[in-house]
Amino acid sequence: MTINRRQALTASIASFVGIAATPARAQGYPTGVIKFVIPTAPGGGHDTMMRVIGQKLTESLGQPCIIESKPGASGAIAAQAVAQAAPDGLTFLLGYSALLSNTVLMAKAPYRMDEFAPVNMLALTPIALGISETLAASTLKHYVAIAKTQPGKLSYGSYGQGSGGHFVGELFNMAAGLDIVHIPYKGEAPALVDLMSGQVHAAFTSIGGVKRYPGRIRPLAVATAERSPSYPDVPTFAELGYPQVNMPGWGGLFAPAKTPQNIIDKVSAEMNRIVLLPDVKAKMAELGFDSVGWAPPKMNQFLKEQLAQTRTLVESGRVKL
């Protein structure tokens, strides 16, 4: 990345943080169907999560909510569609880690971060390291010892090139001084299937994914600052001596820039209420999501930290598209 590109990206995220929404009245909102655009295929965790949230939002606001799936290009297709949508509070994007990483990894991303207004950080998605039960390692310490004796021979799967799992895998490689080869997959499910069949030795996927197959996949650590409330038996990398490996996946709601501030505030408050409802929180935990419901200020701070980590890894040459 050149200095000019780095400066442009920093300016973009600064604008995104500071002035993405505009003051305006939101009387009578909503006036029509609310659409959530997701960057993944129907039937997955993001789709299920937004259907649960959408149903609750329909009950409270009195307008139907629909889910529109636009997978492809690491989420760039969905992001571009929402960036170009009318800022009327009827179209929202469910963004995840690739929304940020695309702006660093792509030579020319089809959108800028200042084309979005942050609405609410719905959930964090703890990314965990899982290994095959057939591998002779019962702890992270044992796994590191094995990997050090076989540089370039062990492999780990993730749910895609430039994905959160890929980033966390390379953070771990750097922190532990390892050379474990990355194998990208088109989603979490095929990566876990190959892990169980022995095609790869490990995988960095959602904690819900690695915990889904007891007796076949052994979770070793999770890349968050604290243990997941949903899976408190899995230690963090920090507890095990690798505090640098702290990069949770996330799912956040964004609106087109210039969406009226009153609408942003109203939808953000509703999202906070909904994701913390006991039944919704339980369902999201089943999917591997930890509900948080952060309003834009806290969401912005988190995204700035994620961007800095992303840039560091990309500039190190460890992660490429």
Side-chain angles (χ1 to χ4, degrees), residues 1-314:
M1 184 187 299
T2 66
I3 293 297
N4 286 342
R5 186 177 171 206
R6 185 185 301 113
Q7 291 172 337
L9 181 58
T10 301
S12 175
I13 195 73
S15 298
F16 155 72
V17 167
I19 59 171
T22 58
R25 292 186 177 182
Q27 293 179 349
Y29 174 82
T31 57
V33 174
I34 297 172
K35 178 169 66 178
F36 296 115
V37 180
I38 65 171
T40 52
H46 290 134
D47 178 54
T48 304
M49 176 177 74
M50 292 314 300
R51 291 185 187 280
V52 171
I53 291 172
Q55 178 58 43
K56 295 290 187 180
L57 192 64
T58 293
E59 293 170 5
S60 62
L61 297 186
Q63 289 287 354
C65 297
I66 62 172
I67 313 300
E68 183 174 306
S69 177
K70 286 184 174 292
S74 297
I77 294 172
Q80 185 177 26
V82 174
Q84 296 173 351
D88 55 10
L90 298 179
T91 303
F92 296 91
L93 171 71
L94 176 66
Y96 66 121
S97 55
L99 183 69
L100 282 183
S101 62
N102 284 342
T103 63
V104 181
L105 286 165
M106 292 182 172
K108 189 175 181 181
Y111 60 85
R112 303 184 315 276
M113 288 306 299
D114 60 8
E115 292 181 288
F116 303 102
V119 178
N120 192 273
M121 183 61 72
L122 304 174
L124 300 183
T125 311
I127 297 172
L129 166 62
I131 63 170
S132 170
E133 286 280 6
T134 62
L135 195 64
S138 58
T139 65
L140 186 67
K141 183 178 180 179
H142 293 160
Y143 177 64
V144 169
I146 292 171
K148 282 185 179 293
T149 66
Q150 302 180 55
K153 294 183 179 179
L154 297 186
S155 59
Y156 75 88
S158 81
Y159 42 93
Q161 193 80 10
S163 67
H166 185 190
F167 275 92
V168 171
E170 291 309 313
L171 275 174
F172 179 56
N173 260 336
M174 293 172 66
L178 302 177
D179 182 16
I180 305 173
V181 179
H182 174 237
I183 308 295
Y185 289 85
K186 294 182 178 179
E188 179 176 280
L192 294 174
V193 168
D194 271 10
L195 174 58
M196 290 186 286
S197 68
Q199 298 301 306
V200 291
H201 305 94
F204 283 89
T205 69
S206 73
I207 191 170
V210 300
K211 290 286 283 185
R212 198 172 298 138
Y213 303 98
R216 303 186 68 185
I217 296 176
R218 180 182 297 125
L220 295 184
V222 61
T224 48
E226 299 177 352
R227 295 193 183 200
S228 168
S230 304
Y231 302 97
D233 58 319
V234 182
T236 67
F237 280 96
E239 289 177 59
L240 302 176
Y242 302 100
Q244 313 95 312
V245 188
N246 176 13
M247 194 175 192
W250 50 271
L253 202 66
F254 299 82
K258 299 184 180 179
T259 297
Q261 186 63 50
N262 282 7
I263 292 178
I264 298 292
D265 293 343
K266 184 170 185 175
V267 175
S268 183
E270 279 297 305
M271 290 295 134
N272 174 269
R273 181 187 67 82
I274 289 170
V275 300
L276 297 179
L277 290 171
D279 58 331
V280 175
K281 194 172 182 179
K283 180 61 179 177
M284 289 174 69
E286 286 179 22
L287 297 169
F289 299 111
D290 290 339
S291 299
V292 291
W294 295 340
K298 188 169 183 177
M299 181 178 179
N300 286 332
Q301 183 58 42
F302 174 81
L303 292 173
K304 286 194 290 185
E305 293 168 359
Q306 293 289 295
L307 179 66
Q309 274 190 309
T310 298
R311 186 186 295 126
T312 297
L313 273 172
V314 172

